[in-house]
Amino acid sequence: MERTKIIDVLKSTEYGKPVCVKGWVRSHRGNKNVDFIALNDGSTIKNVQIVADPTKFEDELLKQITTGACICAEGVLVESQGAGQSSEIQATNLVIYGLCDNTYPMQKKGQSFEFMRQNAHMRLRTNTFGAVMRIRHNMAMAIHTYFHEHGFYYFHTPLITASDCEGAGNMFQVTTKNLYDLKKDEQGRIIYDDDFFGEQTSLTVSGQLEGELGATALGAIYTFGPTFRAENSNTPRHLAEFWMIEPEVAFLDQEGLMDLEEDFIKYCVRWALDNCKDDLAFLNQMIDKTLIERLQSVISTKFVRLPYTEGINILQQAIKDGHKFEFPCNWGDDLASEHERYLVEQHFKKPVIMTDYPSAIKAFYMKQNPAVQADSPAGPTIGYRGQQAPGPTMQGTDVLFPQIGEIIGGSVREESYDKLMAEINARGMETDKLWWYLDTRRWGSCPHAGFGLGFERLILFVTGMQNIRDVIPFPRTPKSAEF
C-alpha cells in the first residue's frame, strides 16, 4: 500500500479508507484490551494515533514497538473517539523497520536543552526541534520568495576568500599546506606560494563585498549562504558557522534602505504566522507563552527610527533614573545587547532601527554623514538631522528586536573612491587584497546600500528559543564540531 504522510492523514475525513503511515514512535501505551501508539513522521507537529487490538497481533511484536522505534502501520482511517485528535487509524498490520532499546536518549520525559545539544543527532526527532526545523525551512522559503517577488537576483558569493570584509581578522584559514612542515621567510612569516591558491585564504565572514559587485551590475541582488567567524565566543547569541542573508541594491539611499529592512522582516514574520500555525502554537505553549503575541505586534507596528546620539541620550537618562547596565554607554561606545534591548523592550516597546553610528565603531565601507557645524565650547561638532555629535557619523541602519537585540546590520556604502581610500588609509588597512573592490569606485561607481541579516537570529525571534545553538541542526561553536 502506498504511504500517506501523517499531515495529510490528519487532514482527511475519508473515514473507512485504508491508509498506510510510516514514522517513529513517540509513545506506546496499552493494556490487555487495546494499545495506543503515537506516530510521527516529521511532516507535522501532530502525531497520528494508531489503535491496535492486542488479540490480533503477536505479543512479542507489540513489546518491541517502543519509543523511538521506526514502524509501518496499515489500517483503516476512523473518526477518533478520544479528545485531542479528529481521526485515528485502526491497525490491521504493523511492521517494525528499526528497533529502539531503552538507551534511546530522547525518551518521553523532560530533557534539558544542554542534554539535547549533546545528542544533536537525535534531538531532531523531538517535538520542539521538529517544530524549529520546519519553521527554519519556512523562513528560507519566505526569504527567497520575498526577494524574487521584489526583483532581486539570487547571487552566489564565494565561501573561500583572500579578503576580510569586516577587518576583524577572526577567520578560519583554508590551506593544503603540511602544517608540520611550513615554509617560512626570513622574518618567520609563512610563505603561501606553494599553497593551493598561491596565497593565504580563509572561509568567508560575509559575502557583502562580492555582493556589491553584483548590485553594480544587476541592480539588486541577495546572497543567502553560510558564513564563518573564528571568535572564541561561548554565548547564546554566537556561532562559528551560521547563515547570512545579504541584499545589496544600487541607487538606494538611507531612507529606502530602512524601508526595505522593515518591509522584509515583517514579510518573514507574517509568513511564519500564516504558514507555521501548528508549530508556533506548540512553541507558544511550551517555550514562550508571549511568542505569537510578540510576532503579531511586529507586523502591526511602525518601527522606531532612532539616531545613535539620541539613543545614547536615552540610555544615559535611564542611568540617571537608577537603571543599571553592566557595560558603559557613552557616545562612541558600541552598544551592548543589554542597551539595545532596553531601548526596544522598555523604552519604546517596539522594534527600533538605529541610525547614524560613530564611524569609528563601524566598518570601513560605510558612507559618512555630511558634517554639520554648530556652536560648541569644544569647537565644531559633526552630526546628522540636527543630532549634535562629538565626532563623525555614518549612514548605518541597524534593526533592533525584542529578545534579540541587533538582528540586522546595514548601511549606505561609500561610493566615492577618494573617500573610501581615505578611510582605508586612516585605519591602516592593506589594499592589495581589495583592488577589485576598489575598481567598482573607479569605474562607474553608483550610490548603493545593503544589509546583513543573521538567519539564526531571525529563527531565534520567530521560534522564541533562547539559545542560537538550538535553531541550527548541528551547531559549530568553540571546542565543538561533532555531528
Side-chain angles (χ1 to χ4, degrees), residues 205-206 223-227 229 242-246 452-455:
V205 299
S206 169
T223 73
F224 187 3
T227 52
R229 299 196 182 181
F242 56 98
W243 287 63
M244 286 281 286
I245 301 96
E246 298 178 290
L453 167 67
F455 188 47

Side-chain angles (χ1 to χ4, degrees), residues 13 19 50 86 99 115 141 145 229 322 339 375 381 386 421:
T13 56
V19 293
I50 312 297
S86 59
L99 296 171
F115 175 83
M141 293 300 297
T145 304
R229 299 196 182 181
H339 305 136
D375 294 331
T381 62
M421 280 301 302

Side-chain angles (χ1 to χ4, degrees), residues 324-391:
K324 296 186 182 302
F325 293 111
E326 180 181 355
F327 298 101
C329 55
N330 298 309
W331 201 97
D333 290 334
D334 198 359
L335 296 187
S337 179
E338 61 175 343
H339 305 136
E340 296 167 342
R341 292 185 61 179
Y342 175 85
L343 292 169
V344 172
E345 297 171 15
Q346 298 186 47
H347 187 82
F348 291 107
K349 295 182 171 58
K350 60 179 66 176
V352 169
I353 305 180
M354 183 163 277
T355 66
D356 311 315
Y357 287 84
S359 299
I361 63 173
K362 290 297 184 178
F364 74 95
Y365 49 74
M366 297 187 180
K367 185 178 182 66
Q368 282 198 6
N369 284 311
V372 178
Q373 302 299 321
D375 294 331
S376 167
T381 62
I382 300 177
Y384 190 60
R385 299 181 189 161
Q387 288 294 316
Q388 294 186 16

Side-chain angles (χ1 to χ4, degrees), residues 1-9 19-26 37-44 46-50 68-75 89 93-98:
M1 188 184 303
E2 184 178 352
R3 174 202 171 203
T4 303
K5 287 186 176 182
I6 289 174
I7 190 173
D8 296 322
V9 167
V19 293
C20 170
V21 292
K22 301 177 181 182
W24 294 268
V25 176
R26 286 283 198 261
I37 302 166
L39 197 68
N40 191 283
D41 64 1
S43 61
T44 172
K46 298 178 180 178
N47 305 322
V48 67
Q49 181 167 271
I50 312 297
C70 183
I71 70 169
C72 168
E74 296 178 345
I89 298 173
N93 186 40
L94 297 170
V95 177
I96 299 176
Y97 289 146

Side-chain angles (χ1 to χ4, degrees), residues 57-237:
F57 296 94
E58 294 182 6
D59 186 54
E60 187 62 28
L61 173 69
L62 291 176
K63 287 181 179 179
Q64 291 178 321
I65 299 178
T66 58
T67 299
C70 183
I71 70 169
C72 168
E74 296 178 345
V76 178
L77 184 68
V78 298
E79 193 168 3
S80 178
Q81 301 302 309
Q85 65 271 333
S86 59
S87 57
E88 59 191 25
I89 298 173
Q90 294 282 352
T92 57
N93 186 40
L94 297 170
V95 177
I96 299 176
Y97 289 146
L99 296 171
C100 195
D101 62 30
N102 59 11
T103 64
Y104 176 58
M106 299 297 128
Q107 296 291 339
K108 189 175 172 58
K109 60 180 181 180
Q111 310 280 10
S112 71
F113 284 122
E114 181 59 36
F115 175 83
M116 287 194 277
R117 285 178 212 125
Q118 296 167 7
N119 294 273
H121 58 313
M122 290 289 109
R123 70 176 182 170
L124 301 174
R125 296 188 191 177
T126 65
N127 287 332
T128 298
F129 286 93
V132 170
M133 293 306 140
R134 282 187 293 270
I135 291 172
R136 186 182 172 101
H137 158 78
N138 269 281
M139 288 298 90
M141 293 300 297
I143 289 162
H144 285 299
T145 304
Y146 177 88
F147 285 122
H148 179 69
E149 290 178 349
H150 288 76
F152 285 67
Y153 296 102
Y154 185 25
F155 193 71
H156 297 135
T157 55
L159 297 185
I160 300 175
T161 179
S163 61
D164 179 1
C165 174
E166 300 297 330
N170 298 317
M171 304 177 75
F172 292 101
Q173 287 197 38
V174 176
T175 183
T176 57
K177 293 176 71 66
N178 180 356
L179 300 183
Y180 297 99
D181 185 23
L182 294 173
K183 185 169 65 172
K184 299 181 180 180
D185 62 17
E186 294 178 354
Q187 285 74 41
R189 295 172 298 194
I190 297 172
I191 298 173
Y192 286 93
D193 58 5
D194 62 340
D195 205 355
F196 185 89
F197 293 105
E199 59 181 321
Q200 183 177 350
T201 55
S202 304
L203 295 176
T204 185
V205 299
S206 169
Q208 179 200 314
L209 301 188
E210 293 89 351
E212 288 186 51
L213 307 186
T216 58
L218 301 172
I221 64 92
Y222 72 104
T223 73
F224 187 3
T227 52
F228 310 85
R229 299 196 182 181
E231 296 176 352
N232 190 20
S233 298
N234 271 302
T235 78
R237 295 290 181 267

Side-chain angles (χ1 to χ4, degrees), residues 367 413-422 441 445-446:
K367 185 178 182 66
R413 318 310 191 189
E414 180 54 69
E415 77 271 17
S416 164
Y417 177 86
D418 291 337
K419 291 180 180 179
L420 187 60
M421 280 301 302
R441 273 63 174 179
S445 182
C446 70

Side-chain angles (χ1 to χ4, degrees), residues 224-366:
F224 187 3
T227 52
F228 310 85
R229 299 196 182 181
E231 296 176 352
N232 190 20
S233 298
N234 271 302
T235 78
R237 295 290 181 267
H238 289 89
L239 291 167
E241 177 186 47
F242 56 98
W243 287 63
M244 286 281 286
I245 301 96
E246 298 178 290
E248 290 289 330
V249 189
F251 315 114
L252 190 67
D253 62 13
Q254 189 179 28
E255 288 295 329
L257 179 59
M258 288 189 284
D259 291 341
L260 174 63
E261 291 171 337
E262 182 170 346
D263 188 58
F264 167 67
I265 206 160
K266 284 182 174 179
Y267 181 97
C268 291
V269 173
R270 189 178 296 110
W271 182 289
L273 288 167
D274 291 344
N275 295 279
C276 307
K277 289 184 174 67
D278 289 343
D279 289 321
L280 287 177
F282 171 82
L283 294 171
N284 191 83
Q285 178 183 358
M286 303 300 294
I287 302 298
D288 184 347
K289 297 190 184 303
T290 65
L291 173 61
I292 292 177
E293 179 184 357
R294 192 165 59 250
L295 295 179
Q296 290 171 336
S297 71
V298 164
I299 62 175
S300 63
T301 188
K302 177 71 176 174
F303 293 5
V304 174
R305 300 187 177 187
L306 177 72
Y308 169 92
T309 301
E310 184 178 329
I312 289 293
N313 292 339
I314 292 170
L315 293 169
Q316 291 179 341
Q317 183 61 50
I319 293 172
K320 292 177 183 177
D321 293 339
H323 192 91
K324 296 186 182 302
F325 293 111
E326 180 181 355
F327 298 101
C329 55
N330 298 309
W331 201 97
D333 290 334
D334 198 359
L335 296 187
S337 179
E338 61 175 343
H339 305 136
E340 296 167 342
R341 292 185 61 179
Y342 175 85
L343 292 169
V344 172
E345 297 171 15
Q346 298 186 47
H347 187 82
F348 291 107
K349 295 182 171 58
K350 60 179 66 176
V352 169
I353 305 180
M354 183 163 277
T355 66
D356 311 315
Y357 287 84
S359 299
I361 63 173
K362 290 297 184 178
F364 74 95
Y365 49 74
M366 297 187 180

